[in-house]
Amino acid sequence: MNNPLKKKYTVVIVGGGPAGLSAALGARAAGAERILIIDREIEVGGILNQCIHSGFGLHHFKEELTGPEYAERCINSARSADVEILSDSYVLDISPELQLEIISSRYGYLNLKAQAVVLAMGCRERTRGAIRTPGFRPAGVMTAGLAQKMVNMKGLLPGRRIAILGSGDIGLIMARRLILEGCEVTGVYEVQPYSNGLTRNLVQCLDDFAIPLHLSTTVAFIHGRDRVEGLTIAPVNEQYIPDPKRSWEVACDTLLLSIGLIPENELSTKLRLRMDPATGGPQVTSTLETSLPGVFACGNVLHVHDIVDFVSEEASRAGRFAAEVAAGRRRPSDNIALQAGANIASCVPQSLSPDRKQTIYLRVKQPVKNCILTIGDRYEKKFRVLTPSEMIRLTLAPEVLDRYFGENLKIDVRSQEVA
Amino acid sequence: MYDVIIIGGGIVGCALARELSRYRLKLALVEKEVEVGFGTSKTNSGIIHAGHHSPANTFKGKFEWAGNQMWDDLARDLKFGFDRIGELLLALNPDDVKYLENLKKQGEDRGVTGLEIWAPPRIQKEEPNLSHTILQALHAPTAAVINPYEACFGLIECAQQNGAELFCGYLVSDIVKDGRNFTIQTPQQNFRGRIIINAAGVFADQIAALVGADNFKIVARKGEEYLLDRRLQGIVTRLIFPTPTANSKGVLIIPTVDGPIMVGPTADNIENREDLSTSFAGAHKIFESVRRYCPAISERDTITEFAGLRAIADTNDFVIGPTPIKGFYNVAGIQSPGLTAAPAIATYVTAMLQDDGLALEEKTDWEAEVDGPPHFAQKGKKERQAALMRDPAYGRIVCRCELVTEAEVRYAIRHGARTLDGVKFRVRAGMGRCQGGFCTTRIMDLLSETLGIPLTDISKRGPGSEVCRPRQERLPVGDQT
């Protein structure tokens, strides 16, 4: 088949989900000439396509949309901005010189040169192996996202009587979704003493449907040789060890796992990018550039976000900075390293430059109430509640860092009260 | 009327089927699972033992070294994953050093080549990630790793292309002897045969009991295994064994043929022969043990875990040979080093049948080779380009963790895969770090489309393990007016 692709692109974006699409728009707005999105699915839009519930877009589009609606807006904008989209194709490798090796069912083996690359591959779900849940290995144990795909994309049900391990947002959304499909949901079991989902999902997906959330509780054993027949549920101690004496049995035919997300960094690892163990994504500068010049990262491949609106915002900036670098315009490089201090689990970007407005994304380790977040001696903000499940987004005006001559800034969250 | 019927499609049954398919015989293999290799063989550690482990004067000792030497040709002909990476047996305590020396002598007496005792400097040079407290290690270059399920698929496919008949999903319910012949009963149909080979693994004593040839008992000994993320690939380059205990070879570090590191197995005798569960205790034991000799291995890197059952006969050796019931042979109790020994057992049993009067006339058109799965991920750029020109389905990545293309999934189905596990164990789709999170529905679509069955009939590993349910009929909601 005739190959309409060019040999050289200004910006090539790997991944056509909300991050990739927004990055393309950001690059276009900054004047990049030839922009290409490569996606492995037949349809771009990423995981939004299977998120048929509403609640997307409140920040970005100032209205409430479903996942496919949000995706459609991004796709339409990209198309009308003349962004080229190569779907059903897979990036095998990227060289440090930004030569991409791609296979495509339509055009075969392709080689492209990019002036800048934006990584936007998203994330994957943690599996049973990651937590080593004991028991049999029957059908009916699957990640919540896979169940979502089955129900919303294929019109199939994962089972009839569902238990959910982990209170991640996808698990909460699926609890509601499966109730609406006529299934029973026995409960959500969360090993932590607090929930890992957004408060709005706890309210709208569990409370509204009277689905119990069991904190500090886990699945201690999976029963059933061929198909899930039941679970042993047990409370855990502070070391997360289940207590068999206080365990109980739950009959069900399905166990959904919503136990966390991991950035998909196969390409980043191949490129030997410097990684941040706290986020699972690459380390980036304040222009979202990785340790390899010309390679940028955004969205869930950089760090797992809670809401797509922030993904779009971050990705749009990544696209803009990528376009600038492709055009030979570089911002001053960062000269302040951010350090995660008290009760800070992760921080993106990992460094700052004082010359412009900065956006920082943070997560706390432990939930806290009535606390103060400080960034060195330059910035202070009070919060009523902070939890690991809700990302903190701060914008720092240039004045905050004006005439700051240190090399490190430590971020701390301090509180007298545990939430 | 079959000349020979083999009961059990594990590695032994499959090796024997291929061996017997060389001759003009009417041959059948009857397997209770939905595909071959789905019992003990699928959960095997995947090791071809170096040849020196098992004591002399046992079947185990006799066939370990003989079998070891047969695998290169088999891997070449049947295109399954196989690599002679060698093994290191570690002495962690002063008592172990003597054991190493004895084992070296036992191996050399039998002709095992290349055995060498390494001192710490050599160990650290060759395997820098092992603990520096290891006193000595016995290096055995003849040890290999293998994909045992691929070997089963290759062996049976070769047997089938040479005329053997395969019946999967047929559970033997009874065996009746009438005169000189046997009738094997299954829910679907009966099979008449002159010679019955019982290779029924952990159920071999129950099968033997159907004709009263059960002069042995089988105990199932469970082993849990933990497969680790590719992040740790290359942390060791050889099989790593501690000095063994009475019950098992200890917890091993296994660099699998496909790269990822696997650790295990445990060894616990169990009552229930269907019990394939894993446990907190098993995981704890494995990682505690392994950390003593390879501190960098952590349970946090687990991508999946599973358990398998070894068939241990009460003689603690293989039970191979004729029974008082003429025409009924046991090939049972094939515990470690059973996988290693399987091809040697197959030739031994074939010769035994011939000695007992079975006429073996070689086929002139016997075909030793099969094509084997086209592992796209292992191919170089040129080969990939050529494959893409031939079939655009190579351009569609189904499983991104293991880089498996649609063309390979289609191959797996053409070659007998009927289930998600069947596809996974033939071409690795779903075997990587996301454990099928992304590719399951895609593979279900391909199975459904190719086999012409509804999605709701697609199972993980056979009837009863269907992956999903049909959507429910809409029920009237409340009293909406």
Side-chain angles (χ1 to χ4, degrees):
Chain A
M1 197 163 309
N2 266 350
N3 173 358
L5 296 169
K6 302 171 188 70
K7 278 277 152 210
K8 278 188 179 171
Y9 282 87
T10 320
V11 178
V12 173
I13 296 152
V14 187
L21 291 163
S22 304
L25 292 170
R28 174 62 80 227
E33 199 185 333
R34 287 171 310 210
I35 305 167
L36 175 69
I37 293 176
I38 303 167
D39 195 83
R40 59 180 211 107
E41 295 293 333
I42 293 167
E43 286 178 6
V44 289
I47 226 72
L48 281 176
N49 289 333
Q50 69 184 52
C51 300
I52 63 169
H53 54 283
S54 63
F56 301 91
L58 288 168
H59 297 262
H60 197 65
F61 292 111
K62 310 288 178 224
E63 61 181 299
E64 190 171 9
L65 304 173
T66 65
E69 284 171 340
Y70 191 107
E72 187 184 21
R73 290 206 184 183
C74 298
I75 295 166
N76 289 344
S77 306
R79 292 216 192 273
S80 50
D82 283 330
V83 172
E84 289 177 51
I85 295 176
L86 177 65
S87 61
D88 202 10
S89 299
Y90 190 87
V91 177
L92 288 170
D93 211 354
I94 305 174
S95 77
E97 296 74 34
L98 308 192
Q99 196 79 37
L100 285 87
E101 203 182 306
I102 300 154
I103 51 169
S104 153
S105 57
R106 236 139 103 231
Y107 309 119
Y109 223 86
L110 302 169
N111 269 291
L112 303 174
K113 172 87 173 94
Q115 285 173 280
V117 168
V118 180
L119 303 176
M121 293 90 77
C123 59
R124 66 169 183 273
E125 298 174 279
R126 285 175 84 213
T127 63
R128 174 180 177 182
I131 52 171
R132 296 171 303 287
T133 304
F136 286 78
R137 302 188 55 72
V141 181
M142 68 181 83
T143 58
L146 176 57
Q148 187 176 47
K149 196 170 182 180
M150 277 184 185
V151 177
N152 292 348
M153 308 292 276
K154 312 296 299 181
L156 297 166
L157 292 180
R160 298 280 192 227
R161 197 173 147 82
I162 321 283
I164 300 174
L165 176 59
S167 59
D169 288 307
I170 315 172
L172 303 180
I173 296 284
M174 283 316 290
R176 176 179 64 185
R177 186 77 190 87
L178 288 163
I179 290 274
L180 295 177
E181 283 295 331
C183 301
E184 271 180 87
V185 177
T186 68
V188 175
Y189 311 96
E190 169 59 58
V191 75
Q192 298 288 353
Y194 49 86
S195 156
N196 267 309
L198 295 171
T199 308
R200 75 168 189 214
N201 286 334
L202 287 170
V203 173
Q204 294 173 7
C205 300
L206 298 191
D207 297 355
D208 287 1
F209 294 87
I211 299 168
L213 169 65
H214 301 267
L215 297 175
S216 296
T217 302
T218 194
V219 174
F221 200 88
I222 300 173
H223 302 276
R225 180 184 181 265
D226 294 323
R227 177 80 203 187
V228 175
E229 288 166 12
L231 305 169
T232 303
I233 306 286
V236 298
N237 65 14
E238 286 85 43
Q239 283 80 48
Y240 307 112
I241 310 285
D243 178 0
K245 288 196 202 76
R246 292 192 292 146
S247 70
W248 71 93
E249 302 294 315
V250 166
C252 60
D253 63 3
T254 304
L255 173 63
L256 299 190
L257 304 175
S258 184
I259 51 178
L261 300 168
I262 305 169
E264 279 263 274
N265 275 294
E266 280 68 23
L267 280 172
S268 323
T269 328
K270 271 194 191 170
L271 271 170
R272 300 191 159 276
L273 301 184
R274 195 174 302 136
M275 304 296 284
D276 181 347
T279 58
Q283 285 190 18
V284 289
T285 66
S286 60
T287 59
L288 301 168
E289 195 170 17
T290 67
S291 59
L292 183 68
V295 176
F296 296 77
C298 59
N300 284 348
V301 77
L302 177 58
H303 57 136
V304 174
H305 292 246
D306 315 324
I307 60 172
V308 67
D309 304 69
F310 292 166
V311 167
S312 285
E313 174 204 66
E314 178 183 87
S316 163
R317 285 192 294 120
R320 182 174 89 223
F321 294 130
E324 287 178 5
V325 164
R329 299 198 304 273
R330 268 194 180 277
R331 309 263 180 156
S333 54
D334 293 348
N335 56 359
I336 302 168
L338 286 174
Q339 273 186 328
N343 199 18
I344 295 291
S346 66
C347 160
V348 173
Q350 285 80 3
S351 61
L352 296 178
S353 160
D355 69 302
R356 61 189 178 275
K357 188 178 92 174
Q358 298 284 352
T359 308
I360 314 177
Y361 305 94
L362 303 164
R363 274 187 204 277
V364 291
K365 284 183 186 158
Q366 296 293 329
V368 279
K369 272 186 188 166
N370 300 327
C371 49
I372 300 175
L373 184 149
T374 54
I375 303 181
D377 58 355
R378 313 300 291 190
Y379 180 88
E380 196 178 286
K381 189 174 179 183
K382 285 186 182 161
F383 288 88
R384 212 168 54 77
V385 181
L386 289 176
T387 74
S389 58
E390 314 227 1
M391 195 164 76
I392 311 161
R393 175 175 162 280
L394 299 174
T395 39
L396 302 185
E399 303 84 74
V400 173
L401 298 173
D402 193 27
R403 289 189 296 275
Y404 179 75
F405 296 107
E407 289 178 351
N408 287 300
L409 267 176
K410 200 166 168 198
I411 309 173
D412 299 296
V413 167
R414 295 187 193 282
S415 161
Q416 306 306 317
E417 274 182 84
V418 175
Chain B
M1 170 77 71
Y2 290 98
D3 295 309
V4 182
I5 302 175
I6 300 164
I7 301 174
I11 191 71
V12 173
C14 291
L16 188 55
R18 179 177 185 263
E19 190 56 32
L20 290 173
S21 75
R22 292 172 188 271
Y23 308 100
R24 296 196 179 285
L25 296 170
K26 194 162 161 52
L27 183 62
L29 189 148
V30 182
E31 163 60 44
K32 79 178 170 72
E33 297 293 333
V34 72
E35 296 185 41
V36 297
F38 268 32
T40 296
S41 300
K42 192 172 77 167
T43 51
N44 189 286
S45 295
I47 296 169
I48 298 304
H49 288 291
H52 59 318
H53 286 285
S54 305
N57 310 318
T58 60
F59 272 133
K60 292 201 278 187
K62 180 180 165 87
F63 294 129
E64 182 187 357
W65 177 230
N68 175 292
Q69 294 159 280
M70 297 170 76
W71 281 101
D72 300 81
D73 290 349
L74 285 171
R76 186 198 58 218
D77 290 347
L78 304 177
K79 320 289 190 305
F80 53 78
F82 175 79
D83 196 1
R84 283 199 189 267
I85 59 173
E87 70 161 62
L88 275 185
L89 193 141
L90 311 178
L92 294 158
N93 304 308
D95 293 349
D96 300 343
V97 173
K98 186 74 195 148
Y99 181 86
L100 257 53
E101 284 159 8
N102 290 341
L103 203 61
K104 180 165 181 281
K105 181 164 183 315
Q106 177 169 294
E108 283 166 348
D109 288 349
R110 172 177 310 168
V112 178
T113 50
L115 294 170
E116 256 183 359
I117 290 185
W118 288 356
R122 180 79 190 271
I123 302 170
Q124 280 158 37
K125 178 166 165 275
E126 301 275 351
E127 296 289 354
N129 295 313
L130 288 181
S131 159
H132 287 196
T133 60
I134 294 161
L135 302 176
Q136 277 187 4
L138 175 59
H139 178 231
T142 48
V145 286
I146 180 176
N147 277 338
Y149 35 88
E150 285 181 9
C152 288
F153 295 142
L155 287 163
I156 202 66
E157 191 174 331
C158 178
Q160 283 179 284
Q161 79 186 11
N162 290 300
E165 293 169 53
L166 173 66
F167 298 90
C168 281
Y170 288 68
L171 176 70
V172 174
S173 51
D174 205 358
I175 304 173
V176 180
K177 182 155 195 201
D178 49 274
R180 291 176 53 195
N181 302 320
F182 297 87
T183 301
I184 294 180
Q185 296 175 358
T186 74
Q188 294 97 323
Q189 69 171 84
N190 292 347
F191 299 87
R192 301 261 301 150
R194 294 199 291 136
I195 291 172
I196 308 296
I197 310 278
N198 169 20
V202 287
F203 300 99
D205 54 348
Q206 295 173 7
I207 292 292
L210 296 175
V211 293
D214 53 332
N215 54 345
F216 63 95
K217 279 277 161 278
I218 296 284
V219 170
R221 186 173 293 161
K222 183 157 78 176
E224 297 179 27
E225 307 259 16
Y226 291 76
L227 189 71
L228 308 179
D229 193 274
R230 282 193 185 271
R231 188 183 81 80
L232 290 174
Q233 192 166 333
I235 194 165
V236 295
T237 58
R238 297 172 179 82
L239 288 154
I240 305 298
F241 289 62
T243 298
T245 63
N247 264 355
S248 88
K249 294 193 163 76
V251 177
L252 320 181
I253 309 173
I254 304 162
T256 61
V257 180
D258 298 293
I261 298 283
M262 189 163 80
V263 291
T266 50
D268 301 296
N269 291 351
I270 54 161
E271 294 285 319
N272 175 1
R273 298 184 197 189
E274 304 273 347
D275 180 1
L276 292 167
S277 63
T278 54
S279 63
F280 276 123
H284 182 75
K285 177 162 186 258
I286 284 173
F287 287 98
E288 282 294 294
S289 304
V290 162
R291 255 193 294 274
R292 284 191 301 138
Y293 29 98
C294 189
I297 287 181
S298 150
E299 52 267 61
R300 291 182 50 176
D301 286 301
T302 307
I303 61 169
T304 188
E305 66 278 290
F306 57 88
L309 302 178
R310 311 167 181 87
I312 312 289
D314 47 9
T315 57
N316 202 29
D317 195 5
F318 301 157
V319 177
I320 300 176
T323 64
I325 314 302
K326 191 168 163 44
F328 188 94
Y329 295 80
N330 285 319
V331 185
I334 312 295
Q335 57 161 306
S336 176
L339 173 64
T340 310
I345 293 173
T347 50
Y348 174 83
V349 170
T350 304
M352 184 170 68
L353 296 180
Q354 189 173 28
D355 288 348
D356 283 2
L358 180 68
L360 296 183
E361 188 192 337
E362 269 192 68
K363 291 174 185 163
T364 50
D365 57 350
W366 188 74
E367 186 55 68
E369 293 184 37
V370 299
D371 293 340
H375 290 302
F376 188 77
Q378 296 164 15
K379 300 273 190 279
K381 193 173 166 180
K382 282 238 169 68
E383 281 175 291
R384 285 178 177 180
Q385 273 170 324
L388 265 162
M389 294 291 279
R390 255 194 341 269
D391 181 357
Y394 281 102
R396 217 167 276 139
I397 302 293
V398 173
C399 163
R400 57 174 153 191
C401 303
E402 297 293 314
L403 203 70
V404 183
T405 64
E406 186 184 301
E408 291 162 88
V409 176
R410 290 187 184 279
Y411 167 92
I413 300 168
R414 270 202 313 281
H415 288 255
R418 294 291 172 269
T419 60
L420 289 178
D421 275 4
V423 170
K424 171 167 141 183
F425 286 99
R426 278 182 180 81
V427 295
R428 297 189 64 73
M431 211 178 255
R433 43 168 65 119
C434 93
Q435 288 288 299
F438 287 109
C439 61
T440 298
T441 55
R442 196 90 176 258
I443 296 167
M444 287 171 70
D445 283 340
L446 289 167
L447 278 163
S448 163
E449 176 197 313
T450 318
L451 301 175
I453 55 176
L455 286 167
T456 43
D457 284 0
I458 308 290
S459 69
K460 180 170 160 62
R461 62 171 95 86
S465 67
E466 285 77 14
V467 182
C468 59
R469 305 273 191 264
R471 210 172 197 138
Q472 287 156 325
E473 292 299 314
R474 290 271 163 219
L475 300 170
V477 182
D479 48 349
Q480 286 175 341
T481 46

